[in-house]
């Protein structure tokens, strides 16, 4: 599993205008847990006003085989039935 730590840099507290920056990457079985464990310390390091505007998000990235499977679409089969 691959997990990205994304930093959402937002112009204001409404978080409607944000720029997303990848901050760190983890790989392996416990990647998500490592990312979640890093978020509180990083959030605490922000100044109080920035905590209201910016946020850290852990996002699981699909492995290459899985992404291919999710992108593959079933073939359309045309059938006609007569009664």
């Amino acid at each position: 599993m691959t997990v990205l730590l994304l930093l959402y840099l937002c112009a204001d507290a409404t978080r409607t205008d944000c720029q997303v920056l990848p901050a760190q990457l983890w790989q392996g079985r416990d990647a998500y847990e490592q990312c979640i464990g890093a978020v509180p310390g990083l959030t605490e390091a922000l100044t109080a006003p920035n905590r209201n505007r910016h946020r850290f998000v852990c996002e699981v990235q699909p492995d290459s085989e899985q992404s291919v499977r999710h992108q593959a679409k079933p073939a359309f089969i045309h059938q006609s039935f007569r009664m």
Side-chain angles (χ1 to χ4, degrees):
M1 173 186 340
T2 301
V3 177
L4 282 176
L5 175 65
L6 302 175
L7 170 60
Y8 283 76
L9 294 173
C10 304
D12 58 27
T14 63
R15 295 183 178 154
T16 56
D17 181 25
C18 301
Q19 180 181 5
V20 182
L21 301 172
Q24 193 160 345
L25 167 88
W26 288 273
Q27 292 183 321
R29 286 184 170 189
D30 62 344
Y32 189 75
E33 289 77 14
Q34 289 177 3
C35 182
I36 291 296
V39 170
L42 293 169
T43 302
E44 194 173 304
L46 294 172
T47 62
N50 283 337
R51 277 186 221 131
N52 293 331
R53 292 188 299 209
H54 311 319
R55 64 184 170 137
F56 292 95
V57 175
C58 295
E59 184 177 290
V60 176
Q61 300 294 304
D63 294 332
S64 58
E65 288 180 26
Q66 288 178 344
S67 64
V68 169
R69 273 188 259 145
H70 289 294
Q71 291 174 358
K73 296 180 182 176
F76 178 74
I77 300 171
H78 178 74
Q79 295 179 342
S80 62
F81 296 96
R82 291 186 185 174
M83 297 186 79

